[in-house]
Amino acid sequence: MSLSAVLTAAGSSPSPSPSPTPSGSAAPVVPTLQDAQESATNAASWVEQNWSTWLAIGLRVLLILVIAGVLRTVVRRSITKLIDRMNRTAQAVDGTTLGGLLVNAERRRQRSQAIGSVLKSVASFLILGTAALMVLATFEINLAPLLASAGVAGVAIGFGARNLVTDFLSGVFMILEDQYGVGDQIDAGVASGEVIEVGLRVTKLRGAEGEIWYVRNGEVKRIGNLSQGWATAGVDVTVKASEDLDKVRRTLNEVAEQMSKSEPWNELLWGPIEVLGLDSVLLDSMVVHISAKTMPGKSVAVERELRWRVKHAFSAADIPIVGGATAVPEEDPADPTASVAAPSVYSNADSPQVQATAPIGPQRPPTR
């Protein structure tokens, strides 16, 4: 006879009624051995029917997690190698002519760290998020309400923190496009100065007087980078209109040649100093313009040195430097009596008032 038949027969047999207790309350039912055997049998039967399903779900979850972990590691290492290759490429051209157009070591380091951090964070979020959704789908959980709730929460966060999102996205594109970096002199519209730190949300600038500006990346509408490519140094020299132009040109050419051969100006000058000619001609003066192509950020230093040398050369060549404004010609002093009305013909010529307004002439003898 089978175990199930025995249990069925045992369950159908009438059980003796419990004897009444002295207090009159029902006594607690104590599980019998047959009840325990029945529960164990049901549990074993349920496990036997569903173990394959649970084993398949577990193996599928484990496979998803392993693939996600391996893929995340591979992607992060690939991003690290890409950033290292970018740094090696930039270092390979240092010391060449192209090296002046590139950024310094600190800028490369910060830019590489920022780009690598952004790419790694995006890759981790996409891979782990996709793995989490796949795991939930494996347990046959309906993802529609979850995705809808996430969409509503994303919209609410987007409205509430739109300035933060704008700053972050602007910082990401700014770093990826290499608009500016550490050490650059920029004009960001709201502030200008030297970049001392670049972040995904805020850029720190040091102004001309030493102040530090914290500029949100989302507020920057236009950027003028004064440290990329090359700069132009321009100097205006004002001399008298009667000065010999050939002498002025020769003197300026000598100054340009001497400065181009001097240290360290020969490294800061990326082109010859050119005397472009007359920039303007006034009544008593004329302006000669000098221009040179310089290293980025060194135009002001070159202009100061060029003015210094031009002043020394002009003083030695006896060429005076004058101001740009036209001088006002001197006029003869006005006659103090010109604004005094002539006396009337009917007035007394001997009165004190008429004598006070008349020009000083020979004194008449007093009347007796």
Side-chain angles (χ1 to χ4, degrees), residues 13-319:
S13 60
S15 58
S17 59
S19 60
T21 59
S23 59
S25 60
V29 179
V30 179
T32 60
L33 179 59
Q34 296 177 354
D35 296 336
Q37 291 179 350
E38 183 178 0
S39 300
T41 303
N42 294 334
S45 177
W46 183 85
V47 170
E48 183 180 0
Q49 294 176 0
N50 297 279
W51 73 270
S52 58
T53 303
W54 283 101
L55 181 61
I57 292 176
L59 293 177
R60 189 178 301 174
V61 171
L62 181 61
L63 182 62
I64 291 174
L65 295 179
V66 170
I67 293 177
V70 173
L71 184 61
R72 179 174 177 269
T73 303
V74 171
V75 172
R76 290 175 66 91
R77 288 185 178 179
S78 301
I79 293 174
T80 302
K81 291 182 179 180
L82 177 62
I83 298 302
D84 294 341
R85 183 177 302 175
M86 291 173 57
N87 290 336
R88 288 196 300 268
T89 304
Q91 294 174 0
V93 296
D94 282 346
T96 63
T97 304
L98 184 61
L101 302 177
L102 297 176
V103 295
N104 53 31
E106 180 65 18
R107 173 177 174 177
R108 285 197 300 265
R109 185 185 65 81
Q110 289 201 9
R111 181 169 178 263
S112 301
Q113 288 181 354
I115 294 177
S117 177
V118 171
L119 294 179
K120 290 178 181 178
S121 299
V122 172
S124 299
F125 176 78
L126 293 178
I127 294 174
L128 297 181
T130 304
L133 293 178
M134 294 177 66
V135 168
L136 294 178
T138 302
F139 288 102
E140 298 182 357
I141 297 176
N142 189 10
L143 299 179
L146 179 62
L147 296 178
S149 301
V152 173
V155 172
I157 294 175
F159 277 108
R162 56 184 181 274
N163 292 332
L164 181 62
V165 175
T166 301
D167 296 340
F168 181 81
L169 294 178
S170 299
V172 170
F173 284 106
M174 179 271 299
I175 293 175
L176 293 178
E177 295 172 0
D178 194 18
Q179 297 177 7
Y180 56 84
V182 175
D184 286 354
Q185 290 285 343
I186 67 170
D187 181 4
V190 294
S192 60
E194 180 183 357
V195 180
I196 59 177
E197 185 178 342
V198 178
L200 293 178
R201 193 182 70 86
V202 175
T203 298
K204 294 172 63 174
L205 304 177
R206 185 176 296 280
E209 298 180 359
E211 69 277 11
I212 296 180
W213 298 97
Y214 294 85
V215 181
R216 288 169 43 196
N217 296 328
E219 293 182 350
V220 179
K221 304 302 180 183
R222 52 95 175 161
I223 298 174
N225 195 325
L226 307 179
S227 300
Q228 285 184 351
W230 46 268
T232 301
V235 175
D236 291 332
V237 182
T238 306
V239 297
K240 292 183 178 180
S242 59
E243 203 66 48
D244 186 4
L245 285 178
D246 294 334
K247 182 179 180 182
V248 172
R249 182 184 290 273
R250 286 196 304 270
T251 305
L252 293 177
N253 287 332
E254 292 176 358
V255 172
E257 184 178 358
Q258 293 175 2
M259 185 174 175
S260 300
K261 297 179 181 179
S262 302
E263 295 284 347
W265 310 109
N266 54 353
E267 297 179 357
L268 302 182
L269 292 171
W270 284 12
I273 301 177
E274 300 179 351
V275 181
L276 300 181
L278 290 176
D279 193 62
S280 62
V281 179
L282 304 177
L283 293 177
D284 62 344
S285 64
M286 52 187 177
V287 180
V288 182
H289 187 69
I290 312 173
S291 178
K293 186 181 295 185
T294 68
M295 183 182 294
K298 302 299 181 181
S299 59
V300 176
V302 172
E303 289 175 356
R304 292 172 178 172
E305 180 67 18
L306 190 56
R307 293 190 188 99
W308 186 280
R309 291 174 179 263
V310 167
K311 180 63 176 67
H312 278 288
F314 275 29
S315 298
D318 197 17
I319 302 176

